[in-house]
């Protein structure tokens, strides 16, 4: 069924109230093909969980909501299980399903909002693990040629919050399922940030997929706003990665700036710190906690922009512009948005 002029407010975690000219969902390849054929003259726009998008205007297109479901164990060997998940599955529910089956590899990615189909697009990552670490392949519909294509790990050209689907193949494929390679005997990753500390606080004696997942959930809940309560799309910007030599010059002026060494003689700087330590307010000199109308910079994590209820996408976008300019003029570093702007 195709609906007309419907609000997308409940279909994006920022809670932005824009309208879709047409709207329909599909739960199979055949369903998708039928929609594309009967609406071939209309531009379309594929929506997953709506958790990494900022709508700044009405969508004058057919919005297609991907609802392809199903989790299947495809194959297993001594060490691994190969598990296929439909693009419309909720990511966190999928993570919990894997933990319940004792399949290891994505427990550090617990509680990331959104659907399975979006996870490869930006190579979701958290607490020392990225999707690419457990990725086997994916199946996608090639719109121009109306056929299915399989992408292997190397085909996806994963990078930090990046893949071919954000670059050369942007808007050319519709991801229908993702196949992960998960460990039967898990290897735990607890060295990132405060994971170990949280496990200690929880008094965990023996590590398990479940305890790590719970530690990650606890940390995320303490720092990141729940989109059901406060509209947001997680980190709004990427952490900038700059050449070490450039970083040394900047550090000369700002010795307290935190950083992490990255491959190829690069340095990654937490954008949250840059945003927290620049800002419009004479008193606080910070964007953290800043609010203009219903658009704001989250009080507990400056990297997250929030909608207090009635903000428009334009207002959130303008705030992000102002933050970009302010960080650029103070530190000479140009932040890049992580969230897709539509
Ligand atoms: N920091 C501040 N002020 C802030 C926020 C952060 O100074 O307001 C500094 C601190 O030095 C802190 C450091 O930034 O130690 C790192 O902060 P945090 O651990 O919260 O992580 P992040 O680098 O801000 C990244 C991801 C998150 C992911 C966490 C944990 C990006 C763009 N974001 O954030 O991913 O959950 O690490 O792995 O890489 C997302 O992509 O939507 C997302 C939430």
């Amino acid at each position: 069924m195709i609906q007309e002029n419907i609000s997308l407010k409940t279909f994006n975690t920022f809670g932005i109230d824009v309208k879709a000219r047409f709207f329909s969902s599909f739960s199979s390849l055949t369903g998708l093909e039928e929609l594309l054929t009967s609406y071939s003259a209309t531009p379309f726009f594929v929506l997953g969980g709506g958790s990494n998008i900022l709508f700044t205007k009405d969508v004058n297109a057919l919005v297609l909501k991907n609802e392809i479901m199903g989790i299947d164990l495809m194959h297993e060997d001594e060490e691994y299980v190969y598990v296929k998940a439909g693009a419309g599955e909720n990511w966190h529910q999928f993570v919990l399903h894997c933990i319940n089956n004792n399949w290891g590899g994505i427990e550090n990615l617990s509680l990331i909002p959104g659907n399975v189909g979006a996870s490869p697009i930006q190579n979701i990552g958290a607490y020392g693990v990225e999707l690419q670490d457990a990725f086997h392949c994916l199946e996608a519909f090639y719109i121009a040629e109306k056929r299915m294509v399989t992408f292997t790990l190397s085909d996806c050209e994963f990078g930090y919050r990046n893949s071919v689907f954000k670059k050369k193949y942007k808007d050319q494929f519709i991801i229908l399922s993702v196949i992960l390679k998960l460990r039967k005997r898990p290897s735990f990753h607890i060295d990132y940030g405060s994971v170990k500390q949280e496990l200690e606080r929880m008094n965990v004696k023996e590590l398990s997929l479940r305890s790590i997942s719970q530690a990650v959930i606890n940390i995320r809940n303490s720092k990141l706003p729940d989109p059901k309560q406060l509209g947001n799309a997680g980190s709004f910007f990427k952490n900038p990665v700059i050449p070490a030599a450039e970083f040394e010059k900047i550090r000369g002026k700002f010795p307290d700036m935190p950083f992490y060494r990255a491959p190829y003689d690069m340095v990654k700087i937490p954008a949250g710190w840059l945003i927290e330590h620049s800002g419009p307010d004479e008193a606080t000199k910070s964007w953290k906690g800043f609010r203009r109308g219903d658009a704001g910079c989250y009080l507990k994590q400056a990297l997250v922009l929030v909608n207090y209820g009635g903000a428009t996408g334009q207002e959130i976008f303008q705030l992000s512009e102002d933050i970009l300019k302010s960080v650029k003029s103070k530190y000479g570093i140009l932040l890049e948005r992580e969230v897709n702007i539509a």
Side-chain angles (χ1 to χ4, degrees), residues 8 21 23 37 39 46 69 82 115 163 177 199 250 256 281 286 294-295 316 327 334:
L8 292 176
R21 178 71 188 88
F23 181 93
T37 309
Y39 274 75
V46 180
M69 308 306 272
Y82 296 79
N115 289 354
S163 76
S177 63
L199 285 161
I250 300 172
D256 298 336
D281 190 305
S286 177
D294 271 356
I316 306 250
V327 167
L334 185 61

Side-chain angles (χ1 to χ4, degrees), residues 160-161 192 234-242 247 257-260 267-279 286-288 297-298 301-305 320 323-324 326-328 331 333-338:
Y160 166 57
R161 295 296 193 279
Y192 186 96
S235 301
F236 198 91
F237 301 97
K238 290 187 194 181
N239 288 325
V241 182
I242 62 172
F247 172 71
M257 187 182 285
F259 65 98
Y260 317 97
V267 169
K268 189 187 260 191
I269 303 164
W273 189 91
L274 297 172
I275 297 168
E276 178 171 349
H277 294 90
S278 55
S286 177
W287 286 102
K288 201 171 184 171
C297 178
Y298 191 49
Q301 206 336 342
L303 198 48
V304 178
L305 300 190
S320 75
I323 291 174
L324 276 176
S326 139
V327 167
K328 175 84 176 126
Y331 299 101
I333 297 173
L334 185 61
L335 295 181
E336 194 188 325
R337 291 182 182 87
E338 198 228 90

